[in-house]
Amino acid sequence: MDSNETEDFNIENKLEQIKTLESLLHLKVPNPAPLGLFSFGLTTALFQMKHSRLAGVERSDMHSAEKFAWGFAIFYGGLLQFVAGLGEIRRNNVFEYTAFLSYGGFWLSYGTSEILINVFSADTSDVNPRAEQAMFILMGIFTLVLW
């Protein structure tokens, strides 16, 4: 071996090359937890406007507040939590990843099912309320497990 070949196999040289690649391997990712927590909290609070009658005491007031909340639930409560969960994957936070993706999926599915029922069902009396109750119970159990 000549001196050029030994220089190529120099361990310090290889370590220096690895250190220059480290910034590409470990990209800085902003913390997505505030986005996920705010989207969950504000969506839940918006739905409580109807239940606490802060949106109004008339049936039409509560109905219009609920209609408004479904779009909010799908895009703000569901989609943004899902995005926050994907951000947690990059940060290798398994708990937050599981929670945000699950709650994001909950809001997406809940909002979509309500819109489908209201748009495509001429008679909403044929909807079984026990299915919705079962979803709430399962999410409650999931929340208890996470707690």
Side-chain angles (χ1 to χ4, degrees), residues 70-111:
W70 290 123
F72 197 79
I74 290 173
F75 291 101
Y76 194 73
L79 186 62
L80 287 184
Q81 275 192 78
F82 203 82
V83 168
L86 294 177
E88 293 291 357
I89 292 172
R90 186 70 178 122
R91 295 172 60 93
N92 201 25
N93 292 333
V94 177
F95 179 81
E96 290 88 349
Y97 153 76
T98 304
F100 287 140
L101 285 178
S102 295
Y103 288 119
F106 164 76
W107 283 117
L108 285 169
S109 64
Y110 188 40

Side-chain angles (χ1 to χ4, degrees), residues 24-85:
L24 297 174
L25 296 174
H26 301 289
L27 296 174
K28 300 288 185 204
V29 177
N31 187 0
L35 173 68
L37 293 172
F38 274 112
S39 65
F40 181 78
L42 292 178
T43 303
T44 305
L46 185 62
F47 272 97
Q48 292 309 314
M49 297 289 286
K50 175 193 168 212
H51 300 296
S52 64
R53 300 190 189 269
L54 289 173
V57 294
E58 299 295 321
R59 185 170 177 81
S60 62
D61 293 336
M62 291 188 296
H63 190 64
S64 63
E66 186 177 26
K67 282 183 177 179
F68 176 76
W70 290 123
F72 197 79
I74 290 173
F75 291 101
Y76 194 73
L79 186 62
L80 287 184
Q81 275 192 78
F82 203 82
V83 168

Side-chain angles (χ1 to χ4, degrees), residues 14 21 23 27 35 43 45 54 61 63 71 77 87 90 92 100 104 113-114 117 124 127 140-141 143:
K14 295 299 178 192
L21 292 175
S23 64
L27 296 174
L35 173 68
T43 303
L54 289 173
D61 293 336
H63 190 64
R90 186 70 178 122
N92 201 25
F100 287 140
S113 65
E114 284 295 323
I117 288 168
T124 56
V127 176
I141 292 169
T143 302

